[in-house]
Amino acid sequence: MPSDTPTHASPAGPAFDLVTADRPLRAVVVGAGFIGGQWAPELLAHPDTELVGWVDVAEDLARDAAAELGLDGLPVSSSLTAVLDGEEPDFIVNCTVPRAHHDVTVTALKRGVSVLSEKPMSVTLEEARSMVGAADEARRLFAVNQNRRFMPTLVAFRRTVAELGPLGLLTSEFYMPYRGRPFLDELEHPLLQDMAIHLFDAARALSGADPVSVYCESFRPAWTWYPGACSATAIFEMTGGLRYTFTGSWSAPGGATSWTGSWRAAGSHGTARWDGNGEPTAEAVQGHVVRPPAPHADPFPGRSRFAGLAEGLEEFVTGLRSGRAPQGECHDNIRSLAMVTAALESVRTGTRVPILA
Ligand SMILES: NC(=O)c1ccc[n+]([C@@H]2O[C@H](COP(=O)([O-])OP(=O)(O)OC[C@H]3O[C@@H](n4cnc5c(N)ncnc54)[C@H](O)[C@@H]3O)[C@@H](O)[C@H]2O)c1
């Protein structure tokens, strides 16, 4: 891990117990939909993890997903508690839909099982606080994998942004014509409640700043195919006086951005831009130099995979073995979720809302 990678380990030591057993870490995937099917191969590929079970409320989905990977003997069930009690995993990977994240995560933590979760941590901040409390009480590691943090070009942009001196403005646009997963149709604000966390968390990772307050509007353009408000614009005040603005739509009528949006950062030494995909560019003001980031290599070359899962798993396993908290450790990640929940509160009240994780 590069030395400038953000870390959130407490100087007093980890708040979770390590797994010291001399065997691979035992893992269960919960949720056999799209992303569960991406996580299972990562658990099979990691030298220090073993896939010991797969749970889905629709048990046949878990059975089919296991069979597709040639894992016909793998324990599968619709009952999370049966698999936790029967297989005694060290951790689960929570790949369920957002509304199930709280119950699945707390059930595992209360049985002494650590949790690596898909984003978002939960639907509400109250749920998230109770999940963080359950992790503290159980002394187990609970982290949310924000896979975009590991994109080599995001890391390059972060390093470029760090060259800009004190930041004043950070902007991101996200435009995607997406006919997504069925659960998105059930959400009142599908962009804010599902996708925006990626961009909001990236804003924190890129700037090193935390959110202070937000004003947000979420709305439904006439042409959208979503029942809910699929478009939003938000202005965040961040620590240090930085303003971060976000505008996005799940129903872009053409002109799509990348999945990580399109970015611009302005600091006292210059401006950096990133299309969310390729290499960032920068322009320094007179009298300053903005150094380009060092060349970077794919840490997992030659393997077709969903971006940012192997890296997230590596940080999580390192955390369980050494106590070094991964980037999405729950006490940190809850601040990204708080950006979402405060934005939703601002939409509801029509006011600027303070952000308190
Ligand atoms: N990081 C990324 O880029 C990325 C990409 C896709 C999805 N996700 C996230 O992953 C999560 C799942 O998304 P998906 O696209 O795989 O959804 P999906 O609908 O394809 O799969 C979800 C699965 O969870 C199962 N499930 C629901 N409640 C459950 C419960 N209580 N216990 C066990 N299983 C349960 C469902 O039956 C379904 O099979 C969401 O939180 C989503 O935001 C992240």
Side-chain angles (χ1 to χ4, degrees):
M1 186 186 297
S3 58
D4 66 343
T5 300
T7 180
H8 306 285
S10 143
F16 49 88
D17 293 338
L18 307 188
V19 182
T20 54
D22 186 18
R23 52 156 177 77
L25 298 170
R26 295 170 63 77
V28 165
V29 175
V30 187
F34 169 73
I35 206 77
Q38 311 299 313
W39 274 106
E42 298 298 343
L43 295 163
L44 296 171
H46 195 289
D48 195 21
T49 62
E50 183 186 1
L51 178 60
V52 298
W54 207 329
V55 175
D56 197 294
V57 280
E59 187 174 314
D60 50 331
L61 287 183
R63 184 169 299 105
D64 292 351
E68 217 168 280
L69 293 172
L71 306 169
D72 295 308
L74 187 76
V76 297
S77 177
S78 60
S79 165
L80 174 61
T81 50
V83 173
L84 294 180
D85 294 345
E87 303 309 321
E88 300 187 346
D90 298 297
F91 70 100
I92 64 162
V93 186
N94 188 347
C95 304
T96 62
V97 292
R99 67 172 183 279
H101 284 185
H102 174 266
D103 286 0
V104 166
T105 289
V106 169
T107 299
L109 290 170
K110 285 195 167 159
R111 278 176 155 73
V113 177
S114 291
V115 178
L116 175 57
S117 180
E118 261 306 333
K119 45 60 60 174
M121 181 184 289
S122 59
V123 175
T124 69
L125 198 57
E126 290 67 35
E127 284 178 338
R129 288 184 180 129
S130 102
M131 295 156 96
V132 173
D136 286 343
E137 204 167 307
R139 289 196 56 82
R140 289 297 177 268
L141 175 57
F142 168 36
V144 177
N145 191 51
Q146 302 282 173
N147 60 321
R148 282 168 175 74
R149 281 193 178 219
F150 300 109
M151 289 175 68
T153 52
L154 186 145
V155 173
F157 185 50
R158 175 161 58 72
R159 290 178 181 158
T160 307
V161 168
E163 294 277 315
L164 300 178
L167 284 187
L169 294 92
L170 181 65
T171 66
S172 67
E173 290 187 324
F174 174 85
Y175 286 94
M176 192 59 73
Y178 186 61
R179 288 167 199 272
R181 320 212 69 72
F183 72 81
L184 290 177
D185 288 342
E186 297 165 18
L187 300 176
E188 195 181 346
H189 302 278
L191 183 72
L192 286 177
Q193 290 171 292
D194 180 67
M195 185 64 208
I197 186 98
H198 280 304
L199 286 287
F200 295 176
D201 182 72
R204 290 184 56 233
L206 291 166
S207 66
D210 273 321
V212 174
S213 67
V214 63
Y215 173 75
C216 182
E217 297 191 2
S218 176
F219 49 98
R220 195 176 170 277
W223 62 81
T224 184
W225 46 87
Y226 281 98
C230 64
S231 304
T233 189
I235 307 168
F236 289 92
E237 181 185 345
M238 308 287 283
T239 48
L242 171 68
R243 295 300 190 280
Y244 163 56
T245 62
F246 164 84
T247 297
S249 179
W250 266 138
S251 298
T257 61
S258 77
W259 277 93
T260 314
S262 171
W263 293 77
R264 174 189 280 257
S268 55
H269 301 177
T271 290
R273 284 188 277 183
W274 181 46
D275 68 4
N277 229 351
E279 296 298 326
T281 59
E283 201 177 313
V285 294
Q286 209 172 5
H288 286 284
V289 174
V290 175
R291 289 173 302 173
H296 45 81
D298 181 352
F300 300 93
R303 197 144 64 84
S304 144
R305 59 198 189 87
F306 195 81
L309 305 192
E311 292 89 338
L313 180 61
E314 181 59 35
E315 283 200 4
F316 190 80
V317 168
T318 300
L320 283 178
R321 291 302 198 188
S322 74
R324 184 189 162 100
Q327 290 187 59
E329 199 276 331
C330 60
H331 296 84
D332 182 79
N333 186 264
I334 195 171
R335 291 181 225 158
S336 297
L337 182 77
M339 292 174 78
V340 173
T341 56
L344 288 165
E345 180 66 11
S346 174
V347 170
R348 267 190 295 274
T349 59
T351 61
R352 178 172 168 148
V353 169
I355 301 179
L356 308 162

